[in-house]
Amino acid sequence: MTATAVFTARALLLDMDGTLVDSNAVVERIWRRWADRHGLDGDEVMKVVHGRQGHASMALLLPDRPAERNHAENARMLAEETSDMDGVVPVPGAPEFLAALRGVPHALVTSADVALSTARMAAAGLGLPDVRVTAESVGASKPDPEGFLKGAAELGVAPADCVVFEDSGAGIAAGRAAGMRVIGIGPRAAQHGPDAVVPDLTRVRVEPVTDGTVRLHVG
């Protein structure tokens, strides 16, 4: 987009991978190895896995496999991901963006679990928001809206007054299903119809307003 869009909100809900943290290198390594083990096309697998919990991706890619096996394998992969921080860096503009949110209600809403989200944010040099909704917090993975609705509830803000920051199709769909506006970050987001899309967080300016709202200048 070339023009600047302005959004007014009372709270922001932030995805992690692809939005605050660039973890593409490790996600590619681990999921392409998984695809090879199961005789699946790596490119097709990568179209599915972004934004979802691992077991939810496996359920789509191996629909005949029992859920128990998906959850067991997902636990092993989460441990593998948590031990591999090679190439994990902040999305451009993420440190400044998070610094600008001091005093602004915001939450991390991620499909990662506590251990992985803590490790990746630390590897990227980013502080964790006080409010965090992780894989352990929800019964349903994105694109289900449960995570975003829980984040809004914990912040005490109505869904319509929240803006979501997301990079994936599953995450954008979850934000929309929660009744929230969605700002897309990065090239994946542009394919899924967010309300606005920018290459990274350097193109977002946060302006707190005296009435307790925040203006987001996007573009």
Side-chain angles (χ1 to χ4, degrees):
M1 59 183 292
T2 54
T4 299
V6 179
F7 296 80
T8 300
R10 293 195 174 275
L12 310 183
L13 302 176
L14 316 174
D15 175 50
M16 181 181 71
D17 291 301
T19 301
L20 298 173
V21 174
D22 181 350
S23 56
N24 281 331
V26 62
V27 172
E28 288 268 346
R29 279 196 298 275
I30 287 175
W31 277 100
R32 286 186 182 277
R33 285 201 296 265
W34 182 88
D36 287 342
R37 288 198 300 271
H38 293 283
L40 298 174
D41 180 271
D43 290 341
E44 294 304 312
V45 167
M46 295 313 301
K47 292 176 183 177
V48 171
V49 300
H50 291 290
R52 292 182 170 85
Q53 292 185 37
H55 64 83
S57 296
M58 294 172 191
L60 290 173
L61 293 161
L62 297 173
D64 297 326
R65 194 164 76 156
E68 296 77 14
R69 287 186 61 191
N70 292 337
H71 281 274
E73 190 168 29
N74 183 49
R76 292 192 295 272
M77 289 182 69
L78 280 170
E80 189 179 356
E81 287 185 88
T82 303
S83 68
D84 184 355
M85 293 295 131
D86 188 21
V88 174
V89 295
V91 166
E96 297 81 3
F97 175 70
L98 287 175
L101 296 186
R102 293 191 185 106
V104 175
H106 64 286
L108 187 73
V109 182
T110 175
S111 294
D113 63 5
V114 169
L116 181 57
S117 57
T118 301
R120 281 193 178 154
M121 290 287 281
L126 301 175
L128 283 163
D130 292 337
V131 177
R132 301 183 288 276
V133 179
T134 62
E136 297 93 338
S137 310
V138 298
S141 172
K142 299 172 187 177
D144 191 282
E146 181 184 359
F148 287 126
L149 291 172
K150 283 200 168 185
E154 287 200 36
L155 293 171
V157 177
D161 291 327
C162 296
V163 168
V164 166
F165 284 75
E166 263 287 358
D167 73 301
S168 70
I172 291 167
R176 288 240 186 255
M180 301 172 183
R181 293 154 294 162
V182 183
I183 296 172
I185 306 297
R188 273 193 301 270
Q191 306 167 37
H192 301 286
D195 294 282
V197 62
V198 286
D200 56 46
L201 291 166
T202 66
R203 303 288 293 275
V204 179
R205 182 167 64 87
V206 177
E207 180 194 0
V209 184
T210 54
D211 66 358
T213 64
V214 59
R215 288 195 196 103
L216 303 167
H217 301 264
V218 181

